[in-house]
Amino acid sequence: MRRRLSLALLTGLLAIGAISAPVSASSNTIADIAVANGNFTTLVAALSCTGLVPAVADPNAQLTVFAPTDAAFRKFGLTAKNVCWLPKRLLSQVLTYHVVPAVLYAKDVLASRKIKTLDGPYIFPSVRGGSAYLNWYARISATDIQASNGVIHVIDSVLIPYRFH
C-alpha cells in the first residue's frame, strides 16, 4: 500500500513538472499548476490514466517534480491522445522517476551528485555549458515553481529510469 501511494505521488509530481514557465502558485498544488498550464497536457493525461493525479494533488505532500513539457513527450512520439496506450505499469514507473519525496529547490538539486526518486532509482544532476541537466541529457529549463505541496522544475526531455536502458 505504501509503495502504491508513493508511486502515485511521484507520478503526480511529474505531471506538475511539465510546466514550461515560472508560475507563482503558493496556494495551488502541483496538480493544479500542471492542469492550468497548457504545456503539460501529455503529463496530465499520463497521470490521469495511471491514477496518479491524487498523489500530486495531495495538499499534505512535500514533493519535487521534474516536469517534462509536451515537447519532451513528443520526442518519443507521445501526446495527450496516445500516452495512455502505453502499459500502465511502465508509464507509472517512468512518471514516478520524475518525483522526489522532498522539496528540493534548484540550489539543492545542483548541490547534489545524485537524487533518489520516489520510484527508487537515482537522478544525476550536472552543469554543462552554463545549463543544468538531469542524467546528462534532460535540460532544466525553468526552476523553483512554487506549489502548495512542493516545487516544480521544468525539463525538456522525459527521464527514463536506468533499469529500462
Side-chain angles (χ1 to χ4, degrees):
M1 179 70 142
R2 178 173 223 157
R3 172 95 169 128
R4 189 172 298 190
L5 177 61
S6 294
L7 180 60
L9 181 58
L10 178 59
T11 303
L13 288 180
L14 177 58
I16 293 301
I19 298 174
S20 65
V23 175
S24 175
S26 60
S27 65
N28 293 320
T29 66
I30 291 171
D32 294 331
I33 294 169
V35 169
N37 184 292
N39 294 314
F40 302 106
T41 59
T42 308
L43 179 58
V44 170
L47 291 172
S48 198
C49 70
T50 56
L52 294 174
V53 170
V56 291
D58 180 354
N60 297 314
Q62 289 299 298
L63 305 169
T64 297
V65 174
F66 296 103
T69 61
D70 288 341
F73 280 99
R74 280 194 300 270
K75 291 178 181 180
F76 291 95
L78 298 171
T79 66
K81 292 182 180 182
N82 70 9
V83 72
C84 292
W85 296 351
L86 293 172
K88 285 185 183 181
R89 182 168 185 235
L90 170 69
L91 187 54
S92 292
Q93 289 175 335
V94 169
L95 290 174
T96 55
Y97 185 55
H98 289 78
V99 178
V100 176
V103 176
L104 299 176
Y105 292 99
K107 65 180 175 63
D108 305 316
V109 171
L110 294 179
S112 303
R113 292 183 57 130
K114 62 183 182 180
I115 300 168
K116 189 169 184 171
T117 66
L118 188 58
D119 190 38
Y122 290 92
I123 292 173
F124 300 92
S126 62
V127 176
R128 190 174 70 243
S131 294
Y133 291 85
L134 298 175
N135 296 352
W136 303 277
Y137 64 88
R139 189 173 64 80
I140 302 172
S141 58
T143 62
D144 296 340
I145 300 165
Q146 286 293 141
S148 60
N149 62 346
V151 64
I152 300 165
H153 303 294
V154 180
I155 56 177
D156 71 351
S157 295
V158 175
L159 299 171
I160 304 300
Y162 283 104
R163 67 176 159 264
F164 296 124
H165 287 179

